[in-house]
Amino acid sequence: MSAPAVTDPPLTAGDSVAPDRVVAADRPAAWKLYVALAKPRIATMTVVSALAGYALGGGVFLSTATAALAAGVWLVAAACGALNQWAEKDTDARMKRTATRPLPSGRLEPTFVFPFGLAAAVAGTAAMIGHGQLTAGVLSLATLVLYVAAYTPLKRRSVWCTAVGAVPGAMPPVIGYAAATGRLDATAGWLFAVFFLWQFPHFLAIGSLYARQYAGAGLKMLPDEAKRWGATGTIAVATAVLLIPSAAALVGHGGLGWIYGVLVAAAGVWYLAASVAFAADRNERSARKLLRVSLLYLPLWVLVSVVDHAF
């Protein structure tokens, strides 16, 4: 899944934020807490990515099928956010960037959050399957299980969590494509590859920025602490390199032509340059630049692919 920009200043090693430091904050209405639990920005970007795949699959917009896909994907993404926070409430309480979330701050009880997440998952899956999008519904449910049951606990155990988490993160356009076509083919495979590879520089930049907080919470998010290259820098650059031909491979699929190919290649080179700068000198400035570029690459890819497909 896509992630929003994060800007909280890093804590020193070992620092944590206890829930009682944020309980005193003004209490928003209960519905606002549940919306926050759903991570609406991530859920909305997930829907946008799914709709891009839906468009490339020839899906007809302004239809009940499109509405069902959008609602279903949003609800399943919200379930991922809620159940992830339910599972990570203890580690979230130890990091400044997450301590004010509804669960670690004490503003919602875990006993209410778990059924909320399950209900959102069931409703979202049912919305897709009920409109004939069986493959998309099954893929959405599998994505949820992999994200919550594999990626989330693995963050405490292995740096391989990033690779595992990139699988559900790459599924939204595939789900959208499957909703339109009812099948998985080469186009779906290349869509998966683009979104899978995009995530590595993105999340390695975030991991570098918040390495102390993650370490203090017992989460294993980076392969190493090397200031120049090392495993972290090498992975960021390697995946950025692979992203360029993977995105270009979609030319000729889903109605995408040379305009898409040229613009996406240029965006890929830009992403690669930011990744190389990050690898060559890993510091807060290069990590933030890579994060900004990553957050621009994805909406640019969506915009270019949808516009080129349409015209």
Side-chain angles (χ1 to χ4, degrees):
M1 296 206 174
S2 308
V6 283
T7 55
D8 296 325
L11 298 179
T12 56
D15 277 354
S16 63
V17 180
D20 59 7
R21 288 176 54 181
V22 292
V23 169
D26 292 337
R27 285 179 175 269
W31 69 268
K32 292 183 178 179
L33 292 173
Y34 281 99
V35 170
L37 199 67
K39 298 184 179 179
R41 288 185 297 175
I42 295 177
T44 300
M45 190 60 206
T46 301
V47 171
V48 170
S49 302
L51 290 177
Y54 185 71
L56 296 183
V60 178
F61 281 84
L62 300 179
S63 65
T64 55
T66 306
L69 173 66
V73 169
W74 200 96
L75 285 167
V76 174
C80 286
L83 294 174
N84 170 262
Q85 290 178 71
W86 172 80
E88 293 192 327
K89 56 186 180 297
D90 295 334
T91 52
D92 279 352
R94 301 190 190 114
M95 295 190 293
K96 183 174 181 178
R97 63 180 292 261
T98 54
T100 56
R101 287 175 174 175
L103 279 172
S105 67
R107 292 176 293 173
L108 281 180
E109 292 296 326
T111 51
F112 297 111
V113 171
F114 186 75
F116 167 76
L118 288 182
V122 171
T125 304
M128 287 179 270
I129 294 177
H131 282 77
Q133 300 164 355
L134 177 61
T135 303
V138 171
L139 288 174
S140 296
L141 189 58
T143 298
L144 171 73
V145 171
L146 184 59
Y147 185 80
V148 176
Y151 166 65
T152 297
L154 195 61
K155 289 164 70 175
R156 301 172 187 249
R157 300 174 184 175
S158 172
V159 295
W160 285 101
C161 64
T162 301
V164 173
V167 175
M171 290 306 296
V174 178
I175 291 168
Y177 182 81
T181 64
R183 66 178 185 271
L184 298 175
D185 54 21
T187 303
W190 287 119
L191 286 170
F192 177 88
V194 169
F195 278 66
F196 180 79
L197 293 167
W198 167 82
Q199 290 175 86
F200 285 87
H202 172 77
F203 282 115
L204 290 173
I206 293 175
S208 183
L209 283 169
Y210 296 95
R212 289 181 177 178
Q213 292 190 40
Y214 284 131
L219 301 178
K220 303 179 185 297
M221 300 298 289
L222 286 176
D224 63 19
E225 298 180 358
K227 295 300 181 183
R228 287 179 174 80
W229 291 92
T232 298
T234 301
I235 292 170
V237 171
T239 50
V241 168
L242 292 172
L243 178 60
I244 297 173
S246 296
L250 278 165
V251 173
H253 295 267
L256 298 178
W258 68 269
I259 294 177
Y260 160 86
V262 170
L263 293 178
V264 169
V269 171
W270 182 38
Y271 198 14
L272 174 59
S275 298
V276 170
F278 168 75
D281 188 8
R282 243 177 76 193
N283 54 48
E284 183 175 353
R285 181 179 179 182
S286 62
R288 289 198 182 280
K289 181 179 179 180
L290 177 56
L291 180 59
R292 285 194 298 269
V293 173
S294 74
L295 290 170
L296 289 170
Y297 177 92
L298 204 59
L300 280 172
W301 183 92
V302 169
L303 178 63
V304 169
S305 61
V306 171
V307 170
D308 190 56
H309 167 83
F311 297 99

